[in-house]
Every structure is written in C-alpha cells, then in structure tokens.
Amino acid sequence: MGDTEESKLQLLLEWLKLNGVELRGCDIKYNNSNKGFGVYSSNAATDGVLLVVPLNLAITPMRVLQDPILGPVCSAMFEEGEVDDRFLIILFLTFESIRKNSSWKPYLDMLPTTFGNPLWFSEDELSELSGTTLFKATELQKKSLQSLYDDKVKELVKKLLILDGDLESEVCFNDFLWANSIFWTRALSIPLPRSFVFPQIQEEEHNHASSTELANGDNDKKLVVNTSFIQEETVWVEGLVPGIDFCNHDLKAAATWEVDGTGSATGVPLSMYLLSVEEACLKIGEEISISYGNKGNEELLYLYGFVTDNNPNDYIMVHYPAEAIKDAPFSQTKLQLLEAQKAEMRCLLSKKSLDHGFFSSEKETRDKVKETEVVNYSWSGQRKTPSYLNSLVFPDEFLTCLRTSAMSEDEIFRVSSLLQELVDSEGDRQPSDIEVRAAVWEACGDAGALQLLVDLLNTRMMDLEEGSGTEDSDTELLEKAVCYKNKTPEDGKSGTNEASKNEEMSRNKYASIVYRRGQKQLTRQFLKEAEHALQLALSESN
C-alpha cells in the first residue's frame, strides 16, 4: 500500500471515529490488489462485538429523502413511484462523488474505482462470456443504465449541483456507473425498527415511551431516540454501512451483522454492529469475513465481480421461451392451462439438487428425503406413479410448463374432458391448480416434457460451446494460465520461473472462464439426468 492509500485510510479512520463508529475488536487494513481493503481482528472482543456503527451514518433511502438538497428534489418522484429505493442511494453516491467539499469525501475516497463485474469488462473480456446467460444480461443492463442516465440521472445531478452552488462540475455516465457498482457490491439488507424507517410513528409514540439523546457525529446535532424498539416490527432496508461494508465475502463467514435498537447489546442505541460467530476463533490479524449469501458464480460475477472455485451454490437457469408457445398450435388453450396450473416458464437448477438425482452416490439419503413426496396423480388408475419420481431433479412447476407446451390436440381434448367431468360432478366449482396439473399429467405423462427439456439443455450446451469452446478446453486454459490470485511480482520478473512460460491471464478473463466452465459442467450433468429420465418415461409409457 502506497503513502497515498495510507493517508486516505487514516482520514477514513478519523472520519469514522468522528461519526461515532467504534472499532472494538478489529482494524481496517489493506489486503491485496484483488481484494483491496478488508476488516481484520485486532483483539479478542469478550462479547463478540467487533465494530459498531450508528444507523444515522448508514446511507439508506431515508437519509436521501431527509437530505437538505436531495430530499426536496427526490421526495415527490419517490412518492409518485418514478424512482425506487435503490435509485435514491445510487443518485446520492453519484452526487456526493462529484460534489465539492462533500462531508462524505473521506469515505468515498476509500471506495474502489475499478470493478470485476462484466459492466466494466473490455470488449475482449466480455467476449469470454459469449453464449452464457450473463453475456446477454450484461448487454441489456448496459443499455438500461445508459437510458436511465440519459433520461433522468444527468439532468437530476446537474440540478442538484446548481442547488449546491456548483456551476462548474460536470457529471458523466461513468460517474453513474461507478455509483451503481458501489451500491451493488457493498449494500447490505438492514433489519431496521419500523419507527426508524417511518419517523412519524416515533413522534406519535414519543409521549408513551422513554427516550434518550444520541450524538450522530454530524455538527453535534442530537437525535431523540425511542428506546422501546424491542417489540417493534422489523422493516428490511437496503443500504451502505460505512465500516462494515469493508468486510469481504467468505462462505464460512467469521462474522454477521445485527441491529441494536435499544443499545442493550452494544451500549449504542440505534446502531448496527459486527458480531463474531461462535465457530470463529479469530486470531489477531486474521481477516473478518461476512457472507453475501449462498450465491452461484453467475450472481457473484454479475453483482460483485468475483467467482468461487467449485462453488457449491452454483446453478444454471433454464427457460422455455414464451414466443415458442405463442407460435405453437392451440396456443391460447395452452396459455390458459399454464395460467390455471401456476406453471413456471423458467427454473434454476442448482448443483446441490444433483445430490438427489439418478447418478448421486447418496441414494439412501435421497430416497429418505423424497419418500413422503410420492403422489399418484392418476384418476383412472391407468397411469401409474413413475418409478423415477424420487430421482427427478427438475422442479414440477417447470415440468408442468413443458408438459403443457408439448401437448398434442388429442391430449388437449382429454384434459378438457377430465376437467369437465370434475366440474359436472361437483357443480360449477372451478378446478384448482393441483387438479388441472393432475389432469394434464393423466393425459400427457412425462415423455413429451422430458423430450422438450432434453432439447432445451442440448441447445444451451451448443450455445455455450459455440461461444467459448468445450468444458475441457476451459479446464486446459485454466491449467496453463498464471492464475491472477497466485501470481507474485517475483513470478513476473523471473525469466526461469516455470509459470512465466504459461499465458498470463487477467482477473476478469479468469473469472469468466471459471464461471462458463461451471455452466457447461452443470448443463452436461443435468442433460444426463434429463436423458435418463426420458428413457425411463418411455419404457414405462409415461
């Protein structure tokens, strides 16, 4: 870390202290060029409380609406639904990053200026995602953000700067793109007391509850705080929490965050604090991580700009295009049946679900888990419950969509007859979604749906391989490359180092290949599951 970064860090620490932040069992320190700054253990906090941040310092929609400059401009738009909570925070970050003499400067100066998510990829880097869901999503998001900037953000920020007395500063799209990435990479879901989110409730109840005064670190102003939050309804709000947001992600998190409405846990009413988990025996100097959630590499790369090797939470998304149904025979009837069954046109297939599939080594566990889920849908008794039902890894809501989409004219007629029999026998009652599903399964079975699923997965694999080659070629690239996270300055200087013979790889390219290889691997595995299920369905006349 250079002198400039060190001086910025010292200014941040002073700013945090001035605003009431308490680093009780941790320090904020530089990690490396890939991770940036992180939070590290400094001593053993006896109560497990590592860091405390007054909620008044959190950047939330409420703070934006109460801001003397942004509040009057944004309140009407927010009330009329023209902008949402996230937009308010991103607008705040955009404005404050340009604003001269911003009181947030020590904090903003410490935030990253480069990101690993695809919005910041070069054209060559983005091409590494060809054929993936993420490639299309990134293109769409870029266009959407550019339109939002052109149509709304640019003029709004100019107006705010003028209101602030700044007639010289200019805003550009990259300012907005930076703020958008800061929000998505650092925002946390904060469980706030309802009275904090809706201050008018606090005022109304003020005469019926005890109160205290809390310095918020901003010009020594005092805030009257209701201390009877313990039984209050919780409202989840997204926001940035300076200090805590320097924690990096790990699946095995060393800490979690909580809100202390009364001050009973931290001694600071209306605060958010970092709490070490019981399993974490933190050593001095050890990084304190939090978990961003059980996210697959697609979501991690899209939002945060990194991936996890062999991610246990990985998944693929499969969808049946709506236009395919609209162009098919009897499309209106099929669309009505889809709506009646509450069918899903898309699904997420998670790596973990393969543990219960045909090729899982955990057969006993699988059968025990699904034993109670077996239902004989057949009304006539002619179509038996499939022997493979326990091993299907595909959601029934999605298979329902595929069954309906694959129906022939004769099958549609049979479904209508079955449902008419039900209505005639029980009056004018409309069939439930479960009854309609049962009728469709009775008429169609699974073979048509599973054939469609095999076709969808084959098409997906073809798109992935056409865009970037095979799964084996990705593995070969990663094995030959100098992994960015293992490369050291000495590796680059040494002409004899074995690693120097290999191809250097950027962080973004590495992450892209890890992600797309995982997509190919899961697509191959789920295709194998679907093909096997189809063979069984055909052999059992299902």
Side-chain angles (χ1 to χ4, degrees), residues 268-297:
V268 182
L270 282 180
S271 64
M272 186 164 165
Y273 61 100
L274 198 63
L275 180 68
S276 63
V277 298
E278 292 182 5
E279 299 81 7
C281 299
L282 294 170
K283 300 176 183 178
I284 294 178
E286 184 178 351
E287 183 171 12
I288 300 170
S289 58
I290 59 176
S291 173
Y292 297 173
N294 297 328
K295 302 182 186 300
N297 279 341

Side-chain angles (χ1 to χ4, degrees), residues 163-177:
L163 289 172
D164 195 38
D166 185 351
L167 305 179
E168 299 176 357
S169 298
E170 294 287 338
V171 61
C172 66
F173 176 67
N174 268 14
D175 296 324
F176 174 60
L177 191 61

